Amino acid sequence: MIEQLREAVCGLHAELVRYNLVAWTAGNVSGRVPGEDLFVIKPSGVSYDDLTPASMVVCDLEGNVVEGAHAPSSDTAAHAYVYRHMPEVGGVVHTHSTYASAWAARGESIPCVLTAMADEFGGEIPIGPFALIGGDDIGKGIVKVLSGHRSPAVLMQNHGVFTIGASAKAAVKAAVMCEDVARTVHVSRQLGEPLPIKQDDVDRLYDRYQNVYGQRSSR
Ligand SMILES: [Zn+2]
């Protein structure tokens, strides 16, 4: 199981590069080991081209390294905090993707003005508090904002994006969609004020997308 997850988490980092969400080594993906108090995360400071399944690091939910030759991502404490406090979460992603981080730099949530946002995020993409890296502050901010919120993405003020999902792949999808809508709403703003979607319609779109749309087995 851990070997499969090492491979999956390693492979998902290529998606961050493919969708242009990361520069240099900033950005990371982790996935919870099903049925265990462990998760697999990117090693710190290794370039995306050099990542291999074997170089992924296995940590416990306190963020201690259990298996791996490298130091884990410097964001490991934040990932660990989320896994400790949100048992339904199976994957966490962090990026500094450009447009989403531009909203974060202003401390401004992204209003729900696109049906695609209603589908994936169920409303606005919220802002989380300013927090310094190192301790539990980032993790606390993520959990506080996303607990009970429909959005799987939070814009941490002056920093960037954290997303959660039932799996690492779902969290990566949320990170890709977050950047996509951040960009579109930003562009729309250049030409005027985007129109809000009525809450009723947001609810209906969200419900349909989450429960009916697509191949359910692949979600
Ligand atoms: Zn960061």
Side-chain angles (χ1 to χ4, degrees), residues 39 59-65 72 76-77 80 84:
F39 63 98
C59 293
D60 67 20
L61 298 194
E62 301 295 326
N64 303 308
V65 175
T76 296
R84 281 207 305 283

Side-chain angles (χ1 to χ4, degrees), residues 41-168:
I41 190 165
K42 177 179 172 287
S44 180
V46 178
S47 80
Y48 288 99
D49 285 346
D50 296 334
L51 292 179
T52 59
S55 66
M56 297 296 118
V57 183
V58 181
C59 293
D60 67 20
L61 298 194
E62 301 295 326
N64 303 308
V65 175
V66 171
E67 206 180 288
H70 296 78
S73 160
S74 49
D75 295 300
T76 296
H79 290 246
Y81 191 93
V82 172
Y83 289 122
R84 281 207 305 283
H85 291 87
M86 301 181 87
E88 71 279 17
V89 168
V92 178
V93 171
H94 174 50
T95 81
H96 299 157
S97 66
T98 306
Y99 284 88
S101 298
W103 288 85
R106 294 195 305 271
E108 188 177 1
S109 58
I110 307 175
C112 187
V113 292
L114 299 166
T115 57
M117 283 190 75
D119 288 346
E120 175 75 22
F121 301 96
E124 63 159 25
I125 299 177
I127 283 284
F130 175 82
L132 292 178
I133 194 166
D136 279 343
D137 288 354
I138 292 178
K140 277 182 189 161
I142 299 165
V143 169
K144 186 161 182 263
V145 173
L146 294 186
S147 292
H149 204 292
R150 283 175 177 173
S151 173
V154 54
L155 309 175
M156 294 299 283
Q157 188 184 308
N158 301 106
H159 184 175
V161 181
F162 279 86
T163 62
I164 57 174
S167 64

